[in-house]
Amino acid sequence: MATRKIIVLGTGGTIAGRAGDAADNVGYRAGEVQVADLLSGIAGMAQRLDGAVMSSEQIAQVDSKDMDWAVWRALAQACVRYLQDEAVAGVVITHGTDTVEETAYFLELALGSAVAQKPVVLTCAMRPASAATPDGPQNVLDAVSVALHPQAQGVMVVCAGAIHDARHVQKAHTYRVDAFESGDAGPRGWVEEGTVRWNFRPLQSAAAPSYSLAQWLDRSPPRVDIVLNYAGAGAHVVNAVLDASGPEHERLAGLVVAGTGNGTVNSQLQEALERAAAAGVHVALASRCAKGGVVRSEEPATGFRVYPGLSAVKARVRLMCELMA
Ligand code: SIN
């Protein structure tokens, strides 16, 4: 049997962060350490690899608050390229915690059948690589265990010993090393001293739609923004977003509303959204609640989209992909 390979793609983040003082867990710069250097210092990696070989590629070196479509596209292309290699068991991606849930969900939508049999596992850290007790090395070890597991498939995020589905994972804490949750779904599993314990396998019927990657190459993404409903929110927010030019002077194509409760919006905001929709903007309703999704018994008369169970940031990724496709 050919030697199995694990590919690790680096994108930056706190996991690759460096501070001037090992006791400082917050005053660091994200995206400083090269992924190859991160991997070379991890004790116990040979045991986790269990005979598999590991190689790495630096795709980007960013603080994930600055994550953008160009990096997503480069990541998706690299995943497709590596996963086509029969010897590759899976791909691990090191990423910042702040937007890892968006990148994971984008990859789930973009990779489709490429991850039907093999996994892409994103991992991250809440403490920089320079910390006296960094959490990144353990998270990478756990991500490698998941990537090598014969039943692993799809896109997942591994952090603090838990395995989360791309669709459900959400950063829920600003500081703790165990910063991620999967809401009502719960984690897909756990990694305990290198052993993967699955909680559930994703149901086929719950699988996300996928969009053919080939169609997206060399095209810029549609501009989709997010607005929030809150006590006292007004039409001016939507009007400002509509009037504003995007980074590339693009017209607004879509608008996701992080509504209150079950995706509700106040009457002024509602009117402004209806005007936006009449002007050709695709509107999607999500909720600002941390758990649950928008539950509708019927399509609202407005024709606004609802993506059951998706947070506002993931609804934005989904709408962008839908409009691209
Ligand atoms: C980032 O998201 O790149 C910085 C924060 C983190 O990784 O925890």
Side-chain angles (χ1 to χ4, degrees):
M1 196 173 100
T3 306
R4 292 184 305 161
K5 290 189 215 163
I6 289 290
I7 309 296
V8 184
L9 307 176
T11 69
T14 295
I15 193 166
R18 198 185 279 130
D21 178 352
D24 189 352
N25 286 328
V26 290
Y28 59 87
R29 281 174 64 94
E32 293 271 297
V33 183
Q34 295 288 305
V35 65
D37 295 335
L38 277 182
L39 298 174
S40 67
I42 301 181
M45 184 58 88
Q47 291 95 311
R48 287 293 176 114
L49 283 168
D50 192 26
V53 294
M54 186 166 71
S55 59
S56 65
E57 182 180 338
Q58 193 79 43
I59 298 289
Q61 190 63 297
V62 295
D63 184 317
S64 80
K65 67 182 170 53
D66 297 320
M67 188 51 63
D68 61 16
W69 187 267
V71 178
W72 282 357
R73 189 169 57 187
L75 269 179
Q77 288 172 319
C79 287
V80 168
R81 181 163 32 91
Y82 284 118
L83 291 171
Q84 276 168 355
D85 178 346
E86 260 184 36
V88 170
V91 172
V92 170
I93 299 173
T94 57
H95 198 290
T97 60
D98 286 345
T99 60
V100 69
E101 67 207 60
E102 285 153 83
T103 301
Y105 189 55
F106 165 76
L107 290 173
E108 179 166 290
L109 295 179
L111 296 177
S113 59
V115 286
Q117 308 295 334
K118 294 180 182 182
V120 169
V121 186
L122 293 98
T123 193
C124 49
M126 292 295 284
R127 295 181 185 155
S130 57
T133 53
D135 52 329
Q138 183 67 49
N139 288 343
V140 174
L141 288 173
D142 290 347
V144 166
S145 294
V146 174
L148 282 169
H149 195 278
Q151 282 160 15
Q153 36 135 166
V155 182
M156 292 164 274
V157 174
V158 166
C159 185
I163 309 165
H164 300 274
D165 253 341
R167 182 184 170 88
H168 301 295
V169 67
Q170 200 165 7
K171 187 171 181 181
H173 203 281
T174 54
Y175 177 74
R176 288 188 202 139
V177 291
D178 191 2
F180 289 88
E181 284 181 2
S182 286
D184 293 338
R188 202 200 280 192
W190 298 274
V191 189
E192 294 155 342
E193 297 297 312
T195 300
V196 175
R197 182 159 61 94
W198 297 111
N199 187 26
F200 65 86
R201 303 276 312 277
L203 294 171
Q204 212 49 43
S205 58
S210 68
Y211 303 94
S212 164
L213 179 73
Q215 296 176 39
W216 299 348
L217 301 179
D218 303 322
R219 281 170 48 191
S220 47
R223 188 182 137 217
V224 178
D225 290 335
I226 301 178
V227 294
L228 184 74
N229 188 35
Y230 49 90
H236 60 282
V237 180
V238 171
N239 295 339
V241 171
L242 267 175
D243 292 346
S245 320
E248 287 153 30
H249 309 287
E250 269 178 288
R251 194 183 141 265
L252 187 70
L255 198 50
V256 175
V257 193
T260 31
N262 192 17
T264 55
V265 289
N266 80 20
S267 35
Q268 273 196 48
L269 200 50
Q270 176 78 22
E271 280 170 28
L273 291 170
E274 285 173 18
R275 278 199 302 278
V281 174
H282 298 268
V283 177
L285 292 178
S287 174
R288 67 179 206 181
C289 291
K291 288 188 182 165
V294 176
V295 181
R296 291 281 152 115
S297 56
E298 56 189 35
E299 277 300 296
T302 53
F304 295 170
R305 285 170 166 77
V306 169
Y307 300 115
L310 290 189
S311 64
V313 292
K314 287 187 189 168
R316 173 179 175 268
V317 174
R318 174 84 172 266
L319 182 53
M320 286 171 85
C321 293
E322 219 170 272
L323 296 178
M324 287 295 280

